[in-house]
Amino acid sequence: ISLRQPDEKTGAIAGLALLPAYRGQGLAAQLLGYAVSAFRKDGLTGLTLLREPEGESAHFFERFSLQTNANVSLVPRIR
């Protein structure tokens, strides 16, 4: 996983990759979860992807509502 911070309130994922033998085991979701936790711990409130995902990775990131250059809130919504 490659992480960046494009501004003081937003984190970004530049890349996330697993070898084929490790896919389908939930590891990518765990890595993404760790990244989100680290961003929240650092006080960041948004997350975006820096590159357009392709193929299977596009579906993976869509499950988490992540899109290229679309800021997703890391702040829980209060109901």
Side-chain angles (χ1 to χ4, degrees), residues 17-25:
L18 292 174
L19 294 171
Y22 296 98
R23 294 180 187 159
Q25 300 176 38

